[in-house]
Amino acid sequence: MSYFLDFTDKAKQDIDALQKAGNKVVLNKLFTLLVEISEHPFTGTGRPELLKHSLSGC
């Protein structure tokens, strides 16, 4: 199962700025993390933590 990632306009601008800067190491890390988040958001490199209080289950 794959999840859909929806980016804000600010996030899209930041990703574009990173691409224009040409730092391939940072871009590879970013895209690797985004792929991991979309494929299995509850495990992975980023050490995701469950939401607490009224946001649990979202």
Side-chain angles (χ1 to χ4, degrees), residues 49-58:
E49 183 176 320
L50 295 175
L51 296 174
K52 297 177 183 171
H53 309 295
S54 63
L55 296 175
S56 65
C58 292

Side-chain angles (χ1 to χ4, degrees):
M1 177 177 203
S2 183
Y3 292 89
F4 176 74
L5 299 177
D6 189 21
F7 297 101
T8 62
D9 291 333
K10 174 69 174 144
K12 291 176 187 176
Q13 290 172 356
D14 291 341
I15 292 171
D16 287 341
L18 284 172
Q19 288 177 331
K20 288 179 184 175
N23 191 342
K24 292 184 180 182
V25 174
V26 173
L27 285 174
N28 285 339
K29 287 182 182 182
L30 174 65
F31 290 131
T32 301
L33 184 61
L34 292 176
V35 168
E36 285 182 9
I37 289 172
S38 67
E39 291 176 356
H40 41 82
F42 300 109
T43 60
T45 306
R47 291 192 196 175
E49 183 176 320
L50 295 175
L51 296 174
K52 297 177 183 171
H53 309 295
S54 63
L55 296 175
S56 65
C58 292

